[in-house]
Amino acid sequence: GFNFDHPDAYDFDLCYDVIKKLLQRQPAQIPIYNFVKNTREEESLTVHACELILFEGILALYNPVNELKIELSSNMIYRNWWH
């Protein structure tokens, strides 16, 4: 079977491009994967940028995605978090 927990299972170039677009406040296209057919569908999902971008998963910090240099000013972190 196919190992979805291995880095080779991911399209990191696409992940990098999507995150970069979202950081630039541009919409990005996310492919829809069909696990029954083991392939991407023809249609995709449009994702729009927002204040918080959460990219998570067991390989979220795997290279090259972790090469994104994100600078956060201290007033952005936890601003109004508890209010």
Side-chain angles (χ1 to χ4, degrees):
F2 194 77
N3 183 358
F4 287 99
D5 294 332
H6 192 275
D8 290 344
Y10 294 86
D11 186 345
F12 286 107
D13 290 335
L14 178 63
C15 290
Y16 183 86
D17 290 342
V18 166
I19 292 171
K20 203 168 176 182
K21 281 184 179 181
L22 294 174
L23 289 172
Q24 295 169 351
R25 299 285 190 183
Q26 299 175 2
Q29 298 297 315
I30 307 290
I32 299 172
Y33 192 79
N34 185 324
F35 288 93
V36 174
K37 297 178 184 177
N38 288 329
T39 187
R40 290 180 184 169
E41 296 288 345
E42 288 184 25
E43 65 271 3
S44 59
L45 177 67
T46 301
V47 177
H48 299 277
C50 61
E51 289 296 316
L52 176 67
I53 300 170
L54 179 63
F55 181 74
E56 60 89 25
I58 64 170
L59 297 173
L61 299 179
Y62 185 77
N63 199 11
V65 176
N66 67 355
E67 291 178 0
L68 286 173
K69 305 294 186 232
I70 303 170
E71 295 183 20
L72 298 175
S73 63
S74 60
N75 65 347
M76 292 176 62
I77 301 173
Y78 300 116
R79 180 177 54 188
N80 299 322
W81 183 260
W82 301 109
H83 303 289

